[in-house]
């Protein structure tokens, strides 16, 4: 744990220097407005609009409680994300220990988490995604190493913080049902549901209309500029085969028009099919802990790769999970995700406005998105044909 902490601290310092920390595009100003409104006694979704689920609110209000200026807020938010990153490293080590990993494997995984986050640059401390990633890491750690009820409770909190964690519920239930019995799975589902309810119900009672509008806004978002579908269309534009129309809505830049709308619909269908395919593949195979980790990684990769929104910070969700994979699958997965993270930092934030202006940087975005598709195919194939190569954790 000490080594992982030191690695993370070193990566965090470097992430603020030189190329890594320059040209930031931040969301902390918005986060601060949420946190200050909460501290003033205002009710989210009723007295002010919030773009995120209720479980995200602690990440906004805690830094605000110690801040008088935006600079102060950014400092404390940065510190909070660092704590999340260090805890994630510890939870990765905890999961690997439960899986029987060697000391060498623990060191390599800790290094991958630190360097993977560094490869993404300033996005790791200017977005709150390390918070839901921490909750997902806790869920996986407890589901693999026990107690399972804590794992399901953490999973419920993760869903309440960012909805992507919802794709882990079916494989988690299947895993616990087949390894610890029907009763334990039902208890886990109840724990997960109660955790979600604890975060959501108070706001559903106080501000039902505003909360529902927040859900609708997220579900109805158009094709975001950095998504797989958009990167394909923008590359077609570079070849003179498509004329894009870009608008800024829902807090992001998006493509609109008949072609973009059609591609967005196809992506939603493809995303759903890919996620369900992962669930089915896991259900058909053995209920081993390593296969559950593989299924969890594949499901979230499907959510990210085929979503109609693919912001740079979404890669944060994958890093702790890919760090748990072993053998040749783990090496290839780490290579694909690491390269995708590096490509992301090359164009975000430094050349994002060139992308917004429909420049040739869209080829880099397409390359990044295709690497994520390759990562999903790698994981899905491994889940379909489990082998000794990733069934154990060799030293």
């Amino acid at each position: 744990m000490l080594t992982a902490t030191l690695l993370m601290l070193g990566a965090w310092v470097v992430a603020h220097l030189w190329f890594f920390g320059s040209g930031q595009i931040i969301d902390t100003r918005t986060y601060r407005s949420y946190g200050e409104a909460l501290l003033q006694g205002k009710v989210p979704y009723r007295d002010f609009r919030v773009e995120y689920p209720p479980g995200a609110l602690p990440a906004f209000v805690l830094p605000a409680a110690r801040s008088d200026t935006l600079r102060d807020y950014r400092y404390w938010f940065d510190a909070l994300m660092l704590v999340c990153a260090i805890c994630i490293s510890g939870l990765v080590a905890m999961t690997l220990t439960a899986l029987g990993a060697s000391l060498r494997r623990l060191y390599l995984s800790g290094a991958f988490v630190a360097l993977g986050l560094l490869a993404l640059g300033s996005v790791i401390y200017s977005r709150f995604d390390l918070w839901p990633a921490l909750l997902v890491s806790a869920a996986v750690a407890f589901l693999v190493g026990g107690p399972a009820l804590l794992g399901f409770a953490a999973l419920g909190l993760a869903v309440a913080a960012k909805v992507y964690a919802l794709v882990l519920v079916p494989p988690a239930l299947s895993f616990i049902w087949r390894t610890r019995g029907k009763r334990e799975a039902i208890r886990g589902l109840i724990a997960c549901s109660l955790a979600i309810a604890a975060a959501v119900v108070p706001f559903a009672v106080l501000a039902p209309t505003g909360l529902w509008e927040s859900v609708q806004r997220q579900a109805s978002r158009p094709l975001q500029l950095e998504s797989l579908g958009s990167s394909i269309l923008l590359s077609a534009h570079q070849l003179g085969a498509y004329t894009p129309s870009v608008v800024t809505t829902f807090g992001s830049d998006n493509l609109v028009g008949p072609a973009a709308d059609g591609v967005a619909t196809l992506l939603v269908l493809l995303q759903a099919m890919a996620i369900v395919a992962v669930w089915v593949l896991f259900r058909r195979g053995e209920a081993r802990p390593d296969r559950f980790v593989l299924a969890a990684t594949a499901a979230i990769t499907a959510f990210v790769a085929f979503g109609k929104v693919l912001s740079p910070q979404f890669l944060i969700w994958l890093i702790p999970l890919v760090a748990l994979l072993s053998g040749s699958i783990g090496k290839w997965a780490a290579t694909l995700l690491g390269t995708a993270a590096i490509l992301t930092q090359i164009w975000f934030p430094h050349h994002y406005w060139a992308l917004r202006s429909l420049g040739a940087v869209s080829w880099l975005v397409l390359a990044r998105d295709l690497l994520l598709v390759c990562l999903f195919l790698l994981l899905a194939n491994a889940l379909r044909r489990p082998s000794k190569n990733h069934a154990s954790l060799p030293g």
Side-chain angles (χ1 to χ4, degrees), residues 236-279:
H237 168 66
Q238 296 300 317
L239 299 174
Y242 170 71
T243 302
S245 178
V246 181
V247 299
T248 301
T249 53
F250 300 91
S252 64
D253 295 314
N254 314 290
L255 288 183
V256 295
D261 293 344
V263 169
T265 301
L266 287 175
L267 272 183
V268 170
L269 293 174
L270 183 58
Q271 182 189 53
M273 291 170 59
I275 292 169
V276 171
V278 170
W279 296 345

Side-chain angles (χ1 to χ4, degrees), residues 71-86:
R71 181 177 180 180
D72 290 342
Y73 185 89
R74 292 183 65 182
Y75 172 83
W76 286 109
F77 183 83
D78 189 309
L80 178 61
M81 292 302 103
L82 173 58
V83 170
C84 289
I86 291 172

